[in-house]
Amino acid sequence: MEILRGATTDQAPADPAATDDMLAGQPIGYWSGRAHAVVTRQLRDALAEIDVTQPQYWVLNSVKYCPEAPSRDEVAARLLTLADGPHDIPRTVAQLLHRGWLRADAGQCLHLTDAGEAARMRLRELVTDLRAVVHDGIGDEEYVAALKVLRRMISNVEDAGNP
């Protein structure tokens, strides 16, 4: 494997003040990490104001859009890559059951309650408004191009055997 395959510029140290002509040498890890941090903080702060967590929103959506009522384990497996650890989603499911936004049937499959669906819809509206702030001045074509580049970078690293 040739490490520098496709590289055309030297790697520069992360510089938040880098000018446009310096960006090609900036580390993707810094910029993608910074974007993740500020967007996640914005969302989690807004959700905290209404006593909801991001994992709670994930679980509500996961249960809503699963073709058949999922078990706790299925929800946890589906959301594991997003969670802060292996216990995050099971804990969140327990919170939502306690809150009355989810119910478990006799087979222990999860369902949204009417209160859970109402909360999910309110959360979707909030998240949509926050997304508009993040996307301000960025057209769909530009956004898609950015995601394609990130997806390609992920694939490049995974294909090189570095998951």
Side-chain angles (χ1 to χ4, degrees):
M1 176 182 79
E2 183 180 281
I3 299 288
L4 298 178
R5 178 182 61 226
T8 58
T9 58
D10 288 335
Q11 181 73 43
D15 180 2
T19 59
D20 286 358
D21 61 324
M22 299 166 59
L23 288 177
Q26 288 289 292
I28 186 63
Y30 169 78
W31 290 99
S32 61
R34 182 94 170 98
H36 173 76
V38 300
V39 170
T40 300
R41 184 177 59 241
Q42 175 214 36
L43 175 61
R44 289 183 176 185
D45 287 352
L47 291 173
E49 289 179 15
I50 57 172
D51 193 29
V52 177
T53 67
Q54 187 179 28
Q56 288 173 342
Y57 182 55
W58 297 335
V59 169
L60 292 172
N61 277 325
S62 183
V63 171
K64 169 70 176 183
Y65 292 109
C66 193
E68 295 182 22
S71 69
R72 291 177 189 222
D73 289 344
E74 289 169 334
V75 171
R78 185 175 297 120
L79 299 174
L80 181 61
T81 60
L82 299 174
D84 289 336
H87 305 292
D88 193 27
I89 300 304
R91 184 180 307 117
T92 298
V93 169
Q95 291 167 341
L96 293 172
L97 286 164
H98 177 75
R99 194 173 216 166
W101 288 2
L102 289 180
R103 68 174 179 79
D105 64 22
Q108 294 304 303
C109 291
L110 300 173
H111 303 270
L112 285 175
T113 63
D114 289 343
E117 176 59 11
R120 192 191 69 76
M121 292 299 293
R122 285 191 309 273
L123 294 169
R124 186 177 81 176
E125 191 174 311
L126 172 69
V127 170
T128 299
D129 291 346
L130 294 172
R131 185 180 191 276
V133 171
V134 173
H135 288 244
D136 186 36
I138 302 167
D140 287 348
E141 187 175 301
E142 206 175 1
Y143 180 72
V144 168
L147 293 185
K148 284 179 157 183
V149 167
L150 290 171
R151 188 166 55 187
R152 177 62 185 264
M153 289 178 173
I154 292 165
S155 177
N156 287 346
V157 171
E158 289 175 345
D159 290 349
N162 302 311

